[in-house]
């Protein structure tokens, strides 16, 4: 059923790095919800596979001493959604990955696989960009950390260097990116379940103590360009402003300065631009409400 040349199984990060150096053309596989489908379709037929699914050290969510939330790359979507730390500090991420596929896919699919697949439609991607996540890579030269926007190089390609034996080992969310911050994610698809996003939008805000000013706003999209992207024009417009309906309108229109969706069989560029504007306004409004504010 699956045309593979060989399967190697690593039980530690060190072994996975060694295998990648020995087999630089091999494909890393975790849960397999993407790779095995692609192999069955013939896109990765005849490839060697390096399974890292047995590396338990890469599972789980922990709060590090500096307040960074560390999510092991093999942590499943279901685990993320239910995890107490995620629910307390970055519930928007749990809500976003809970929209991936089916319950079976969410039980086996991993946050590392979702990001390493490199597709702009990944349900975790826009929220992780809005949260200014950092990607941790481990290879023969030790640990390398990249802001997530630098990790995505182009459509379907991420910065994992085979010649250095790198594998992704964690997603990190810095304390300053989530503290007193509340977010909302909207996925637009043709169906309500088992659907790839036509467009995904994630907004988070931090309000002032009296809840009358947006101190910090972040917005990011999936499928609004070849890679997930932030909208700095809209962010700059919202930062320091009172949350009002007029601001939401201006904010939503400002995203058109930064996004560049394409025409595809799922939706036209014009339609994606149209719903991007609507999603921005709705996400900002909901994020403000979750933060305890009111859109005046």
């Amino acid at each position: 059923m699956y045309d593979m040349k060989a399967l190697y199984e690593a039980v530690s990060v060190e072994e996975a790095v060694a295998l990648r150096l020995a087999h630089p053309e091999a494909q890393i596989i975790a849960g397999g919800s993407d790779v095995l489908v692609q192999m069955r379709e013939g896109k990765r037929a005849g490839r060697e596979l390096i399974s890292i699914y047995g590396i338990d050290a890469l599972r789980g969510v922990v709060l590090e001493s500096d307040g960074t939330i560390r999510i092991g790359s093999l942590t499943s979507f279901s685990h993320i959604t239910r995890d107490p730390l995620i629910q307390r500090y970055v519930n928007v991420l749990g809500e976003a990955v809970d929209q991936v596929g089916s319950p079976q896919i969410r039980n086996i699919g991993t946050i590392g696989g979702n990001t390493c697949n490199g597709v702009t439609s990944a349900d975790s991607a826009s929220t992780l960009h809005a949260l200014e996540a950092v990607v941790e890579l481990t290879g023969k030269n030790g640990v390398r950390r990249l802001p997530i926007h630098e990790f995505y190089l182009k459509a379907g390609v991420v910065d994992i260097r085979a010649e250095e034996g790198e594998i992704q080992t964690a997603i990190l969310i810095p304390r300053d990116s989530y503290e007193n911050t509340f977010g909302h994610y909207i996925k637009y698809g043709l169906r309500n379940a088992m659907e790839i996003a036509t467009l995904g939008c994630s907004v988070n805000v931090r309000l002032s103590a009296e809840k009358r000013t947006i101190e910090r706003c972040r917005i990011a999209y999936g499928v609004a360009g070849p890679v997930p992207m932030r909208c700095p024009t809209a962010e700059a417009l919202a930062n320091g402003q009172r949350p009002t309906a007029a601001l939401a309108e201006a904010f939503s229109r400002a995203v058109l300065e930064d996004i560049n969706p394409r025409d595809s069989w799922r939706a036209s560029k014009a339609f994606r631009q149209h719903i991007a504007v609507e999603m921005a306004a709705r996400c900002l409004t909901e994020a403000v409400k979750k933060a305890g504010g009111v859109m005046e």
Side-chain angles (χ1 to χ4, degrees):
M1 185 176 182
Y2 298 107
D3 179 8
M4 65 182 73
K5 182 178 179 181
L7 172 64
Y8 308 100
E9 295 184 89
V11 296
S12 68
V13 172
E14 294 76 16
E15 186 176 5
V17 170
L19 283 168
R20 189 125 202 264
L21 288 169
H23 306 276
E25 299 301 318
Q27 170 68 52
I28 296 291
I29 182 172
S33 56
D34 288 319
V35 172
L36 291 179
V37 171
Q38 293 163 1
M39 181 168 280
R40 188 174 59 194
E41 293 173 343
K43 296 177 183 177
R44 300 183 186 273
R47 295 285 295 273
E48 294 180 310
L49 301 180
I50 299 172
S51 174
I52 61 171
Y53 199 68
I55 307 177
D56 287 338
L58 298 185
R59 288 185 172 85
V61 181
V62 298
L63 190 64
E64 298 187 331
S65 60
D66 65 352
T68 297
I69 296 173
R70 179 185 181 88
I71 307 172
S73 290
L74 290 183
T75 308
S76 71
F77 301 124
S78 296
H79 183 134
I80 290 170
T81 299
R82 296 192 302 264
D83 187 88
L85 288 172
I86 297 294
Q87 292 176 349
R88 179 177 179 181
Y89 295 114
V90 284
N91 195 48
V92 61
L93 179 60
E95 293 174 346
V97 300
D98 200 42
Q99 298 186 47
V100 175
S102 64
Q104 294 90 337
I105 295 296
R106 293 193 292 273
N107 285 339
I108 198 170
T110 64
I111 192 73
N114 204 225
T115 49
C116 288
N117 201 25
V119 296
T120 184
S121 59
D123 285 303
S124 68
S126 55
T127 296
L128 289 175
H129 275 69
L131 287 168
E132 300 174 313
V134 175
V135 177
E136 180 186 274
L137 304 164
T138 302
K140 70 176 183 180
N141 297 319
V143 174
R144 182 165 66 102
R145 291 179 173 177
L146 280 176
I148 197 164
H149 71 272
E150 295 180 15
F151 182 61
Y152 285 77
L153 299 178
K154 59 182 180 180
V157 178
V158 294
D159 185 8
I160 294 183
R161 301 171 187 174
E163 68 273 13
E164 296 180 5
E166 287 184 333
I167 65 168
Q168 190 200 107
T169 46
I171 299 290
L172 310 172
I173 303 176
R175 180 175 181 174
D176 186 57
S177 295
Y178 71 80
E179 191 171 40
N180 298 321
T181 298
F182 299 83
H184 188 69
Y185 171 73
I186 296 176
K187 173 181 181 175
Y188 182 91
L190 300 179
R191 300 177 299 181
N192 290 330
M194 294 290 290
E195 176 69 340
I196 295 173
T198 300
L199 198 73
C201 178
S202 190
V203 174
N204 64 64
V205 299
R206 179 181 298 143
L207 299 182
S208 58
E210 74 282 2
K211 309 297 184 183
R212 300 294 297 275
T213 303
I214 298 173
E215 291 188 340
R216 178 182 181 275
C217 175
R218 299 289 183 266
I219 177 170
Y221 285 96
V223 209
V227 296
M229 60 178 58
R230 294 256 302 273
C231 294
T233 303
E235 292 175 356
L237 187 148
N239 288 331
Q241 302 299 311
R242 291 169 65 90
T244 65
L247 175 66
E249 173 68 17
F251 173 81
S252 66
R253 292 290 172 187
V255 304
L256 296 175
E257 298 294 322
D258 298 311
I259 65 173
N260 184 31
R262 66 183 179 92
D263 289 310
S264 76
W265 68 268
R266 292 184 182 278
S268 68
K269 176 176 181 176
F271 181 69
R272 284 194 169 100
Q273 289 174 320
H274 172 74
I275 60 175
V277 170
E278 181 64 27
M279 292 165 81
R282 293 188 185 189
C283 281
L284 178 64
T285 299
E286 288 302 313
V288 168
K289 288 181 180 178
K290 289 178 178 179
V294 176
M295 298 297 284
E296 301 174 7

